[in-house]
Amino acid sequence: MKGWVTIAGLGPGNDDLVTPEVTAALAQATDIIGYIPYVARVAAREGLTLHATDNRVELDRAAHALELAEQGGRVVVVSSGDPGVFAMASAVFEAVESNPHYIETDIRVLPGITAMLAAAAAAGAPLGHDFCAINLSDNLKPWEIIEHRLRMAARGDFAMAFYNPRSKSRPHGFEKTLDVLREECGPDRLITFARAVSKPDQTINTVTLAEATADMADMQTVVIVGNSATRRVGRYVYTPRSVL
């Protein structure tokens, strides 16, 4: 009897933001596979095996999930946020594409609340009109592509949400990002730094691009840049839906 693979999003951090659908899948699972801190969010129980791995072995992790399902396992591959947003859903389907033997595997993708959406809600409504999401890590794509997408999004007057803005191994990439944004958007554009979203130590800080510094962001931060219409109302930031 073949099992199944479910790719699930655990939300941005607060357990209250895990969907009931995902909670039900975790309760049925025989195996949990994922990056170490995400697997740690799943409580151990009898009959459940936890497979925690490093964050740079996505394809190996996906292949392991498919192998376990073929052996009858009920496998949940966990990601933070939503599994289809810079997360494990793409890796699982890439593994299937590279090995058609698994093409008939029962695979489900369960959506989750992204850090981007949780950050926007905490700030107000900065993504209230057209927006895009850009991963600023250059581990899987060169800086030239990141810069091109930044410039095109800014010229299209999109609000922008940035994942993985600044790490210890990439301290200068976000400095270059801010330089590009100031060049394309001007100094007065609003930028929000949402750190540890939905967790007890959450902080939300909105400044202008002129005031922004690279050290305001780290790998626990989602950064949201408004479009030309984004404005403050009290302590909140919002982007109106109307285009005048």
Side-chain angles (χ1 to χ4, degrees):
M1 180 178 177
K2 288 191 176 182
W4 44 256
V5 173
T6 293
I7 315 161
L10 297 178
N14 188 322
D15 288 344
D16 289 342
L17 299 183
V18 180
T19 69
E21 185 180 38
V22 169
T23 299
L26 294 173
Q28 298 172 39
T30 59
D31 297 88
I32 304 293
I33 292 179
Y35 179 36
I36 296 165
Y38 308 149
V39 172
R41 292 180 56 187
V42 180
R45 59 171 168 80
E46 186 176 353
L48 179 67
T49 303
L50 304 177
H51 308 268
T53 52
D54 184 72
N55 65 342
R56 296 199 180 193
V57 292
E58 287 88 353
L59 285 177
D60 292 341
R61 192 184 297 148
H64 187 203
L66 294 167
E67 291 167 5
L68 289 173
E70 186 174 48
Q71 296 165 15
R74 301 186 298 275
V75 185
V76 177
V77 180
V78 292
S79 298
S80 66
D82 180 282
V85 179
F86 307 127
M88 280 300 300
S90 292
V92 171
F93 291 115
E94 185 175 351
V96 172
E97 183 180 24
S98 66
N99 190 343
H101 174 75
Y102 294 116
I103 199 71
E104 297 301 326
T105 302
D106 181 6
I107 300 173
R108 294 183 300 158
V109 181
L110 304 185
I113 297 172
T114 70
M116 170 184 67
L117 297 181
L127 303 180
H129 209 298
D130 299 335
F131 68 89
C132 65
I134 300 175
N135 189 336
L136 295 182
S137 171
D138 60 0
N139 287 334
L140 298 176
K141 62 181 183 289
W143 165 253
E144 290 74 18
I145 289 178
I146 296 172
E147 180 177 350
H148 175 72
R149 291 175 179 174
L150 285 171
R151 292 188 185 279
M152 294 303 100
R155 292 173 190 177
D157 201 22
F158 286 92
M160 293 169 266
F162 300 139
Y163 283 75
N164 301 319
R166 185 171 179 265
S167 70
K168 292 180 180 178
S169 63
R170 301 181 287 102
H172 304 301
F174 191 58
E175 294 177 6
K176 293 190 286 187
T177 295
L178 290 175
D179 289 340
V180 169
L181 292 172
R182 292 186 189 107
E183 181 181 336
E184 296 290 347
C185 303
D188 297 327
R189 187 69 56 90
L190 293 177
I191 179 170
T192 297
F193 297 85
R195 189 178 188 280
V197 177
S198 84
K199 300 175 183 177
D201 55 341
Q202 169 182 294
T203 59
I204 306 295
N205 181 27
T206 298
V207 298
T208 65
L209 280 174
E211 298 166 323
T213 59
D215 61 4
M216 291 179 175
D218 62 13
M219 290 296 282
Q220 294 189 61
T221 307
V222 174
V223 180
I224 297 178
V225 178
N227 70 13
S228 60
T230 303
R231 60 196 75 167
R232 298 178 192 260
V233 53
R235 64 186 179 90
Y236 299 104
V237 176
Y238 87 103
T239 300
R241 294 182 63 194
S242 59
V243 178
L244 301 178

